[in-house]
Amino acid sequence: NAGVTQTPKFQVLKTGQSMTLQCAQDMNHNSMYWYRQDPGMGLRLIYYSASEGTTDKGEVPNGYNVSRLNKREFSLRLESAAPSQTSVYFCASRGSGTSYSGANVLTFGAGSRLTVL
Amino acid sequence: GNSVTQMEGPVTLSEEAFLTINCTYTATGYPSLFWYVQYPGEGLQLLLKATKADDKGSNKGFEATYRKETTSFHLEKGSVQVSDSAVYFCALRISGGYQKVTFGIGTKLQVIP
């Protein structure tokens, strides 16, 4: 099925460890996003990529890095995990244009639940 | 800046009750408005959208009307079902730039039989 695939679904880290969350989409979307979801705070944008080869900071980029490896893949890296990064992370992609009902709508992955001890 | 305000909940309703979840926004520019739904253990998915004033988005019995004069986009359903239990997010997007989507905090809906 077409969509956004995230791995892993669950991860437990110790403070100071590093890890990479992987995201891939097969809808030929140009734009991809990483959000984190925390209770009482909704979704906050970490980083986004408007097209292959470009990345930009969102609202809460500190402690994270991203790579837009190609048009399909957009990874999120935690270099030195902290307890404040315990969260659920969502990758999303967005179709562009105006000629179809899915235009400019975000398609989300199922999420990656990260716990930092 | 842009912002979306909605109640966090939880909102608890009996099956077949009428649902309203309020959403108001502030935006620089002329936004498109969305409702996304998140079922337990899943990612968000689009429920409905409206791109200009007075547009009504609808899907699966849910409706919301883009009210520019009151800067609101309230979600309604005439008769909820247990399967509607989920978290509902109101969101806006301003065209241009990187077209950032701003989300509300999400409203948890629990429907009991």
Side-chain angles (χ1 to χ4, degrees):
Chain A
N1 292 335
V4 177
T5 303
Q6 290 181 234
T7 56
K9 292 189 184 302
F10 302 96
Q11 184 72 48
V12 178
L13 293 176
K14 295 180 180 178
T15 296
Q17 289 185 315
S18 62
M19 77 158 298
T20 300
L21 300 177
Q22 307 285 354
C23 175
Q25 53 91 10
D26 58 4
M27 297 171 285
N28 201 38
H29 288 169
N30 285 322
S31 300
M32 297 185 72
Y33 306 80
W34 276 105
Y35 288 89
R36 59 178 288 173
Q37 183 181 27
D38 301 292
M41 305 190 75
L43 274 77
R44 293 180 291 170
L45 183 64
I46 305 172
Y47 270 92
Y48 68 98
S49 171
S51 62
E52 182 179 353
T54 68
T55 62
D56 285 284
K57 297 178 180 179
E59 301 169 80
V60 289
N62 291 344
Y64 305 95
N65 286 300
V66 291
S67 296
R68 183 74 182 268
L69 304 172
N70 47 55
K71 191 170 186 178
R72 290 186 65 248
E73 298 172 288
F74 188 39
S75 62
L76 179 71
R77 183 162 179 83
L78 286 70
E79 292 290 353
S80 179
S84 61
Q85 294 178 303
T86 293
S87 187
V88 180
Y89 292 85
F90 287 99
C91 178
S93 67
R94 180 176 63 83
S96 58
T98 58
S99 62
Y100 69 105
S101 62
N104 291 307
V105 171
L106 292 172
T107 300
F108 284 84
S112 300
R113 183 175 293 275
L114 175 65
T115 301
V116 183
L117 303 176
Chain B
N2 302 325
S3 67
V4 175
T5 301
Q6 61 178 123
M7 56 193 288
E8 187 171 9
V11 174
T12 302
L13 295 174
S14 297
E15 206 165 22
E16 300 184 1
F18 185 86
L19 169 71
T20 299
I21 300 177
N22 289 338
C23 171
T24 57
Y25 67 89
T26 58
T28 54
Y30 196 49
S32 295
L33 301 174
F34 305 83
W35 278 100
Y36 283 83
V37 59
Q38 183 182 30
Y39 298 104
E42 299 183 9
L44 283 72
Q45 57 186 275
L46 180 71
L47 180 60
L48 53 85
K49 68 177 183 179
T51 58
K52 62 183 186 296
D54 300 324
D55 269 2
K56 178 184 284 188
S58 61
N59 187 24
K60 300 181 181 179
F62 291 89
E63 294 183 339
T65 301
Y66 189 142
R67 301 289 187 198
K68 187 178 180 183
E69 64 276 13
T70 56
T71 61
S72 64
F73 193 54
H74 304 322
L75 182 68
E76 296 182 336
K77 186 174 185 182
S79 176
V80 293
Q81 305 300 312
V82 172
S83 57
D84 293 327
S85 298
V87 181
Y88 293 82
F89 291 88
C90 186
L92 67 83
R93 179 181 59 80
I94 300 291
S95 296
Y98 65 91
Q99 300 199 19
K100 176 191 169 187
V101 178
T102 299
F103 287 89
I105 63 172
T107 300
K108 184 173 184 178
L109 172 65
Q110 297 175 326
V111 181
I112 56 176

